[in-house]
Amino acid sequence: MLKQDQGIGMTSQRTRDRMITRLKAQGITDERVLDVMKMLPRHLFMNDDVLASRAYEDTPLAIGYNQTISQPYTVAKMTEIVLATKIPVRRVLEIGTGSGYQAAVLSMLIDRVFSVERIAPLQNQARERFYQMKLNNIRLKHSDGSWGWEEHGPYDAIIVTAAPEEIPQNLLDQLAPQGRLVIPVGDKNNQTLRVIDRADGHYEETVIETVSFVPLLAGQA
Ligand code: SAH
């Protein structure tokens, strides 16, 4: 167990167990996802102790640079959807590394995780966390994720954790046959989580639910 993970109170296993009970009540059923989120110390993805004490609340929290770590329910839901792709998911691309929490969850379930982040200091913090936690199947790139990461594609699944107003064509192009894109789409006031499955010669889109992500921004910072 990690040294920082031996804390008591809000950062204890019991707090994480309560989060799992809540996720189940919210409709998360995939045991693989629940097991990983039960194990992974979410508080270590927070930048200060005050926020770490709130890490298991079901709310998005600030991670600096005007960005947020997604609430546990959203991470669980998106991961569940990724794992339900028609083909086995061995390679996944994430756009928006942020704190690194979503990528860490994926890395415990999927062979290879690629993640792109446009804000360099956030990427560096995430890299350090993965190193400390010995999560060494995650590769990071500092770039505008709307371009995807062509070099390592195609991907069995792509998960986007910031919302564009329109789905970037590059991401669709980098999906493997029968692959799946999970992406929030829309502006600040009107966003829905969508699933796009690459079928033979066309794409099938399903709208999941209303969500609220930070915007997918152009360029690097
Ligand atoms: N998955 C993250 C959620 C972070 S919030 C986590 O688990 O913590 C969304 C992230 O997307 C932010 O870090 C933001 O900087 C990043 N982002 C926004 N637009 C982007 C773009 N065009 N390319 C790559 N990352 C982007």
Side-chain angles (χ1 to χ4, degrees):
M1 187 185 277
L2 295 162
K3 190 161 182 287
Q4 301 96 306
D5 194 32
Q6 291 165 0
I8 45 162
M10 293 307 286
T11 56
S12 71
Q13 183 63 53
R14 205 178 309 157
T15 317
R16 211 144 56 229
D17 291 347
R18 278 202 291 274
M19 176 180 82
I20 299 305
T21 305
R22 203 171 52 224
L23 288 174
K24 285 183 186 161
Q26 288 168 313
I28 303 299
T29 55
D30 192 320
E31 292 291 340
R32 296 168 293 179
V33 177
L34 292 167
D35 282 351
V36 163
M37 290 182 70
K38 185 171 179 164
M39 231 154 47
L40 190 67
R42 182 171 157 92
H43 62 279
L44 298 185
F45 292 83
M46 305 291 160
N47 286 336
D48 63 58
D49 294 345
V50 177
L51 285 176
S53 71
R54 300 186 57 199
Y56 299 97
E57 293 176 20
D58 201 36
T59 177
L61 293 168
I63 53 171
Y65 306 91
N66 240 340
Q67 303 303 320
T68 53
I69 179 172
S70 305
Q71 67 194 86
Y73 169 75
T74 306
V75 173
K77 183 77 183 175
M78 290 177 85
T79 308
E80 203 171 64
I81 293 171
V82 163
L83 293 181
T85 304
K86 287 198 186 97
I87 49 171
V89 181
R90 302 206 170 89
R91 303 165 74 78
V92 62
L93 171 67
E94 177 194 34
I95 306 302
T97 314
S99 69
Y101 180 70
Q102 173 76 70
V105 169
L106 292 168
S107 81
M108 295 172 81
L109 295 158
I110 295 167
D111 292 349
R112 303 204 59 191
V113 179
F114 300 86
S115 186
V116 180
E117 171 57 54
R118 66 183 285 278
I119 300 178
L122 284 179
Q123 187 202 25
N124 292 334
Q125 281 173 356
R127 192 187 300 284
E128 178 62 23
R129 286 175 183 137
F130 300 149
Y131 177 76
Q132 295 291 338
M133 296 179 198
K134 300 188 168 58
L135 300 173
N136 38 39
N137 57 342
I138 308 173
R139 290 200 48 190
L140 301 177
K141 182 181 165 88
H142 179 222
S143 168
D144 177 347
S146 45
W147 295 99
W149 191 351
E150 197 172 13
E151 188 189 345
H152 297 291
Y155 303 95
D156 304 315
I158 301 178
I159 179 170
V160 184
T161 66
E165 297 205 0
E166 281 171 31
I167 296 173
Q169 183 62 40
N170 294 295
L171 299 183
L172 294 171
D173 292 344
Q174 290 173 30
L175 277 181
Q178 314 299 319
R180 169 171 273 191
L181 171 64
V182 186
I183 184 168
V185 183
D187 62 27
K188 197 161 161 260
N189 305 313
N190 188 14
Q191 261 178 40
T192 50
L193 184 63
R194 310 207 193 159
V195 174
I196 292 100
D197 285 308
R198 184 169 201 160
D200 301 319
H202 69 287
Y203 295 95
E204 282 165 15
E205 181 171 317
T206 314
V207 176
I208 306 295
E209 59 198 19
T210 300
V211 284
S212 178
F213 281 83
V214 295
L216 188 83
L217 300 174
Q220 297 176 12

